[in-house]
Every structure is written in C-alpha cells, then in structure tokens.
Amino acid sequence: MCGLAGFTSPDKNKSQILSKMLATINYRGPDSENVYFDSSIAFGHLRLAVVDIDGGSQPRIGDSKQPDALIYNGEIYGYKKIGNILRQESIPLRDNSDTEVLFWLLKTKGVDNTLKQIDGMFAFAYRPKDSKVVYLARDRFGEKPLFYAINNGQLIFASEINAILQHPLFENRSLDKTAISQYLTLEYIPGENTGVEGVYKVPPGHIVQFENGQINKKCYWRPVHNKVKINLPDNKKLQELEQLLVDSVKERLIADVPVGVFLSGGLDSSLIAAIAAREKNDISAFTIKMPQASFDESKFAKSTADYLGLKHNIFELTDNDLLYGLEKVSAKIDQPFADSSIIPTFLVCQHAKHEVTVALGGDGADELFAGYPNFKMTRFTKLMERLPAITRPVLQRLLMSAPDTSEYMSYSFLMRQLSYGFGKKALFQPIYWMSAFSIEEQADLWMPEFLTVNSGLLLEKQMEYLLHESNKENALESLLYLFSTMYLPDDILTKVDRAAMYNSLEVRSPYLEHKFSEYVLSLPMKDKLTGFDSKVLLKKLALRYLPNEIVTRKKHGFALPIANLIRGAFKDRIEMVLFDQNNPVYDWFCKGVIKSYWNEHQGLRRNHGKKIWTLYTLFCFANNVLSKRG
C-alpha cells in the first residue's frame, strides 16, 4: 500500500513541488520515497512495503529516452500466477512484486486489457513509452482513492486532495457549494466532485486519459446485476460461493508482513475471520469496545474469537482515546465527510498497527447481499411516495416531536430518519433515510445569498443517471446498484482507506474480490433478501463456520455514540469550531439555526447529533482547505 502524486509539464521547481505534495501524505508510504522526472511528467511515490520487500521499487521506469512510467498504490491479487505466465512469454521480470507484474501488463497488453485481467484494490498513473498521454485508473469498487485536477493545461493528481493543493496552481482555492449541499444531505459527496472547485475523483471502475490538456473518461466496470445463476440449485450456489470466498481470503492473506483481521462481532467480519483462521495459524483479531452499551458489540466479538480460537485484542475506548482520534482525523479532513465511525476505525487501526501491517475486513457484504435495514423497508416506499402533500409536514412534525433518546438506533431516531423520505420517489427514499439534513431543512440552514441552486434536484438527476447504467427491472437491484456506486465507495471505503492509511496500515476486503462479487451479482434477489431476512445465502454459508447465535443475530452497525459525545468529551472542541467567526464558511449559514440545534441538543430536548457532527466536519474541512496555503 502506498501514496502517489504527480503532474505534467514540470518546470524548474518540479522537485520542490513534488516534495511538498508527497510530504502531506507521507503516512501512506513510510518505508521509502522516490521520484522520477522527464520533460513531460513528474511522478512521486511513497511505499508501504507489503510484498517483495526488497523489490517493487517505484516509480517503475522502462529503458528508453522517454520510457514507460508507472506509479501505483494497492495490491494485485493473483499476481504470482500472472507473473509466471509473463515469464513463459519471455518477459524479463526483474523482481517478484505485483508492481513489476502490473508494469509489464500495461506495457505489453495496454491499459484496457490489463484492467480486464487484474483483480485487486488499486489506483495508478501510467505514461506509455514515447508518449505524452497519462492514464489514471482506479479499481472496480473504489477501495483505493485517486484525485485529479486540470489547471492551466496541466494534469495534477494524488492519492489525497491535500497533496494536490500543494501545487502552486492551487494557491487560490474555492469550495463547491452545490457539492457541499449534497454532502449536508448524504454526509458524503457522491460521484466525481469533492467539495473543492476543480478537483475531482477518478470514479471507481474508470480510466481517465489525459492528452493535450484534455481528459477523456471511460468506464471499464460497473456492479451491474445479472441473474445468470437463477436456475442453479441452492447447494450448488452455496458450494460455488464458498469456494470463491475461500479463494479470496487466501489471496488476501498473502503478504511478507504480519496479517490480522478486524472483528466487530457481526456476521460479515466473523465469517472472514473464520475462514482466515482455517487458512492461517496464530492469526490475531482486533476489536473496539465502545463507550456506550447499546453501541458496543465487543462481547459478541469475544464469543466469536473464543469459538475460533483466535488471539483476540479488545481495545476499550476512553475519552482521552476518542479526543485523540477526533483531533487527528479532524486535522486531516480534505473533503467533506461525516461518518463518525471513522474515529473508532482510526483507533482500531492504530492499535492493530502495533502487531500487523495488513488487516482483513468485512466491508462490501452489505452492499452485495442487501444487508442494510433500508432494503427491508423498501416494501413501504410506494406508500410513503403517495402520501398527500398536505399530510407530510404534519407527520414529520409529529415524528420530530417524539420523545428523544441517544441510544443506538432508537425508535425516535429511526422514525425521524424515515420521515426524510416522505413524498420522495420510492427508489430514492432509502438514500434520503440516511440524511443529516433534508432539502427542506437546508432551506432554513443556508443564508439565501450563498446557495442559489436546487441541489436536491441535482442529486436526484445524478442518481437517475447512475441507474441508466444498471438493470432497472427490479427496484431492489437498482437500490443495490446505488449503494454500490455511491455509499460504498464514497462513504465506507473512503472511511476505511483514510483511517487505515493515517496509521500506515493496509486493509483488504475479501467480499470485493472480482470473481466473488460478480458471482453474487449474478444471483437472484431471493438469495439476498427474502421477506425481512437479508443476506440469505451468505448466512447459509456462515453456518458452516460459525454458531447459529452469531449468524442470526440482528444486524448492528459499527457506530460511535456521537450524540452523547457531543454533550460530553467532544463538547468543547466542537463548540469552538462551530462558532468560530473566522471559519471560512461561518457566514454561509444561519447562526440562529445552528445555535438552536446546539442548545436543544445540549439541553437534552432533541438529538441533533447527526446534524451537529455533519456541520462540524464541514467546518474542519473548510478551515483545512482554505486557511492553509502551501
């Protein structure tokens, strides 16, 4: 796992510029730093050595006056098998790393054919021999990040936005208000925008080609559902699913450094831990004990670890731990992001790093197998879509005034979130149920002169555009597609990448293996959701490895008790940031509205934890991006 940065048309200050870009993300690759320059490119690379410690040096440069050049972040699984094939074709691999395999695939097969062939999590920049074309590419689900900008005819790119902002062409920066409005709804920014004007994400499963100051984007893979396995008997599907997942876990256990597993106590991570324990001796598991009982799953994780005979590390979070995590994560935010579970994820990665350099996680199973409660509730969306306009605000006010509590997924919290879907298109309601602010609430929050577009309408158009790429015969399949192309890459995988990389730790996700995920995409919906029972086939598989009480336990998300922390350990820090008149976005919003949220929350009259946290992280982002120059 690594960090990368670069730009085209380098000038006389190229070395100093690239050094500053890499310095901002040095935690991504603490083992080595190397750069390459020629007349058309500046490529920089930071390495976290995981396989072939003595090989795999980057940038990987060919042998010519203007050679092939590659910088790459990630892991290519099954690279040893591909390497053997390349050697049989008389290709002179100089070491046994996946970097060398990727380099020669790109050089001999081209970008398109390489991306069809490889499986893994990756982001890379590649310049072919004797060319001024630069290709940027990202893995299928978006496990590894890659950002870029076109400014003054130059391409600038990096693993994080902070690195791009070190380039002198970004001395003057501005924020994207429309993208920020979408963030206030979703708690993340979907699609290609980032919240910084002129800086974009390479979308998952895409190639961005830069040539003569222009870019051309091409999609090479999307998680489209196709029901080719619909007529297979259940025992055959279960057998094939198991073999694919076992193969995926085996590949992700390969490393020349210690490997462990994250264990939350839920089905997804427990199954990965169970398979890993069969394949590797003395594997360690890592768990966080949350500070509020209704949020804590550590006892279930302990039960699983004991059953599997794992060495189990449980880290109980104290206020000091949480404050430390808050400060560290807040200082690095370079795009609006309000999933508060990034803090416990950061802390469990920090603890795991003391023993391992690689950890396996359970991310992706919910998006593939319809594991979120949102999917079960879709049977009611048509009814909520048809609610008469006159009744919607009345029902919303009733739900908003219900007695409040800060317990995990309390009834009052769930009902308020559900109300955000009233009157919206049925297919989009499960997305709105996760909102921090409704579009209507934003109308009161923003000062009128600062937001002049209907960001809610733009968000729905964006979702409709995504659905043009999917099979829309089945509403649940369309919803799975939205979760796989929005929530998974822009929230879940962003959180895991940042939390892990801030600690120089690599996290691998076996459920996102190419063949396994495509197999699940080929299954009929009844194998994922039947009535109110989700992850149907995955649970059947898990029963081969785990006790029934773990497999059938009600889903519990990995969440931080943020509402209580805002009233306790986090109170002073968040209050200082929210009411700092020098913050670059302070004047964008109505102070009275924010003050009312704060007072009602602190006075225990309402639970505004989700809203306050979303505003806090936005204010941190704005301060980090606009207040720090060079």
Side-chain angles (χ1 to χ4, degrees), residues 296-360:
D296 183 43
E297 294 184 279
S298 60
K299 65 179 181 181
F300 301 106
K302 183 179 185 305
S303 175
T304 300
D306 290 346
Y307 178 82
L308 298 174
L310 297 172
K311 178 185 176 183
H312 194 206
N313 304 271
I314 300 178
F315 307 104
E316 183 170 359
L317 297 182
T318 66
D319 282 356
N320 285 338
D321 293 327
L322 290 164
L323 280 168
Y324 171 81
L326 176 70
E327 293 291 341
K328 288 293 185 181
V329 170
S330 298
K332 290 181 170 62
I333 291 173
D334 62 355
Q335 58 182 316
F337 185 76
D339 187 336
S340 62
S341 66
I342 191 174
I343 293 178
T345 306
F346 168 84
L347 292 168
V348 75
C349 287
Q350 182 186 62
H351 286 295
K353 179 63 179 178
H354 295 308
E355 292 192 31
V356 300
T357 305
V358 174
L360 274 56

Side-chain angles (χ1 to χ4, degrees), residues 212-252:
N212 296 325
Q214 302 295 319
I215 62 164
N216 178 51
K217 289 175 289 186
K218 181 167 66 174
C219 177
Y220 71 87
W221 189 86
R222 276 300 200 191
V224 177
H225 291 73
N226 56 86
K227 298 181 282 296
V228 297
K229 307 293 183 188
I230 194 167
N231 294 319
L232 280 180
D234 284 354
N235 63 336
K236 179 66 172 175
K237 286 186 285 190
L238 194 59
Q239 177 185 343
E240 292 179 349
L241 188 76
E242 179 177 24
Q243 188 59 59
L244 287 168
L245 188 56
V246 169
D247 289 346
S248 176
V249 172
K250 283 182 179 179
E251 282 290 344
R252 281 151 182 79

Side-chain angles (χ1 to χ4, degrees), residues 92 120 132 135 167 333 350 452 495 544 622 629:
K132 291 189 177 181
Y135 295 95
H167 196 284
I333 291 173
Q350 182 186 62
T452 57
K495 171 189 70 178
R544 295 183 174 185
R629 308 287 181 179

Side-chain angles (χ1 to χ4, degrees), residues 137-150:
R138 196 170 171 209
D139 64 68
R140 292 172 176 84
F141 282 101
E143 291 183 74
K144 291 293 101 185
L146 189 54
F147 300 90
Y148 73 95
I150 308 295

Side-chain angles (χ1 to χ4, degrees), residues 301-501:
K302 183 179 185 305
S303 175
T304 300
D306 290 346
Y307 178 82
L308 298 174
L310 297 172
K311 178 185 176 183
H312 194 206
N313 304 271
I314 300 178
F315 307 104
E316 183 170 359
L317 297 182
T318 66
D319 282 356
N320 285 338
D321 293 327
L322 290 164
L323 280 168
Y324 171 81
L326 176 70
E327 293 291 341
K328 288 293 185 181
V329 170
S330 298
K332 290 181 170 62
I333 291 173
D334 62 355
Q335 58 182 316
F337 185 76
D339 187 336
S340 62
S341 66
I342 191 174
I343 293 178
T345 306
F346 168 84
L347 292 168
V348 75
C349 287
Q350 182 186 62
H351 286 295
K353 179 63 179 178
H354 295 308
E355 292 192 31
V356 300
T357 305
V358 174
L360 274 56
D363 298 307
D366 284 316
E367 289 78 11
L368 289 170
F369 286 96
Y372 295 116
N374 307 51
F375 294 100
K376 301 176 185 180
M377 295 298 294
T378 53
R379 65 189 60 207
F380 304 114
T381 54
K382 287 291 185 184
L383 175 63
M384 287 187 278
E385 181 181 24
R386 294 168 184 160
L387 279 173
I390 195 171
T391 67
R392 293 175 206 155
V394 176
L395 281 171
Q396 283 178 327
R397 282 196 295 271
L398 284 172
L399 290 171
M400 294 293 183
S401 63
D404 221 330
T405 173
S406 298
E407 294 301 302
Y408 176 78
M409 290 295 178
S410 67
Y411 177 79
S412 58
F413 172 82
L414 291 174
M415 290 299 100
R416 283 199 308 276
Q417 293 304 124
L418 202 65
S419 74
Y420 285 148
F422 290 173
K424 301 291 193 302
K425 293 180 182 179
L427 184 56
F428 301 151
Q429 286 178 37
I431 303 294
Y432 284 113
W433 294 340
M434 302 162 76
S435 296
F437 293 89
S438 69
I439 301 300
E440 295 76 17
E441 286 170 331
Q442 284 200 51
D444 294 327
L445 177 65
W446 285 87
M447 296 299 287
E449 64 268 29
F450 282 98
L451 186 66
T452 57
V453 299
N454 187 332
S455 61
L457 182 61
L458 292 176
L459 177 60
E460 293 199 3
K461 285 184 177 179
Q462 189 171 346
M463 289 191 278
E464 287 171 347
Y465 175 79
L466 281 173
L467 290 176
H468 282 306
E469 304 170 322
S470 73
N471 180 350
K472 295 197 289 184
E473 293 179 4
N474 184 295
L476 279 171
E477 288 175 358
S478 293
L479 185 59
L480 279 167
Y481 186 80
L482 286 179
F483 269 76
S484 296
T485 53
M486 290 174 57
Y487 184 65
L488 178 61
D490 294 324
D491 186 304
I492 299 299
L493 298 179
T494 296
K495 171 189 70 178
V496 173
D497 171 78
R498 298 306 186 277
M501 285 286 89

Side-chain angles (χ1 to χ4, degrees), residues 43-60:
F43 275 12
H45 187 262
L46 299 159
R47 188 182 186 198
L48 176 64
V50 171
V51 297
D52 193 3
I53 305 301
D54 296 327
S57 178
Q58 297 187 48
R60 176 62 173 92

Side-chain angles (χ1 to χ4, degrees), residues 412-622:
S412 58
F413 172 82
L414 291 174
M415 290 299 100
R416 283 199 308 276
Q417 293 304 124
L418 202 65
S419 74
Y420 285 148
F422 290 173
K424 301 291 193 302
K425 293 180 182 179
L427 184 56
F428 301 151
Q429 286 178 37
I431 303 294
Y432 284 113
W433 294 340
M434 302 162 76
S435 296
F437 293 89
S438 69
I439 301 300
E440 295 76 17
E441 286 170 331
Q442 284 200 51
D444 294 327
L445 177 65
W446 285 87
M447 296 299 287
E449 64 268 29
F450 282 98
L451 186 66
T452 57
V453 299
N454 187 332
S455 61
L457 182 61
L458 292 176
L459 177 60
E460 293 199 3
K461 285 184 177 179
Q462 189 171 346
M463 289 191 278
E464 287 171 347
Y465 175 79
L466 281 173
L467 290 176
H468 282 306
E469 304 170 322
S470 73
N471 180 350
K472 295 197 289 184
E473 293 179 4
N474 184 295
L476 279 171
E477 288 175 358
S478 293
L479 185 59
L480 279 167
Y481 186 80
L482 286 179
F483 269 76
S484 296
T485 53
M486 290 174 57
Y487 184 65
L488 178 61
D490 294 324
D491 186 304
I492 299 299
L493 298 179
T494 296
K495 171 189 70 178
V496 173
D497 171 78
R498 298 306 186 277
M501 285 286 89
Y502 293 162
N503 291 289
S504 305
L505 180 79
E506 177 177 313
V507 177
R508 300 174 175 179
S509 302
Y511 292 116
L512 298 181
E513 194 269 342
H514 182 205
K515 291 179 182 178
F516 177 83
S517 63
E518 288 200 337
Y519 190 88
V520 178
L521 291 169
S522 76
L523 296 171
M525 279 304 302
K526 68 180 182 66
D527 289 326
K528 302 162 191 174
L529 182 66
T530 301
F532 284 98
D533 186 20
S534 62
K535 299 182 181 175
V536 175
L537 197 62
L538 190 67
K539 288 178 179 176
K540 291 179 181 178
L541 172 57
L543 286 170
R544 295 183 174 185
Y545 292 84
L546 296 164
N548 183 73
E549 57 268 25
I550 292 295
V551 175
T552 59
R553 188 169 71 86
K554 182 179 177 181
K555 179 174 176 56
H556 190 296
F558 186 65
L560 191 68
I562 195 66
N564 277 347
L565 287 168
I566 291 170
R567 296 179 180 123
F570 291 177
K571 179 182 177 181
D572 291 344
R573 162 71 185 184
I574 292 179
E575 184 174 26
M576 178 183 69
V577 170
L578 277 187
F579 300 105
D580 176 11
Q581 297 183 28
N582 294 318
N583 190 281
V585 298
Y586 179 80
D587 291 330
W588 290 14
F589 304 106
C590 178
K591 292 81 174 170
V593 171
I594 296 177
K595 192 68 175 177
S596 68
Y597 289 147
W598 182 261
N599 289 339
E600 288 178 359
H601 188 82
Q602 297 300 334
L604 300 177
R605 297 192 296 277
R606 292 283 301 280
N607 178 357
H608 290 303
K610 198 171 173 72
K611 288 181 168 60
I612 290 170
W613 179 256
T614 300
L615 287 168
Y616 165 76
T617 53
L618 171 62
F619 279 47
C620 288
F621 154 75

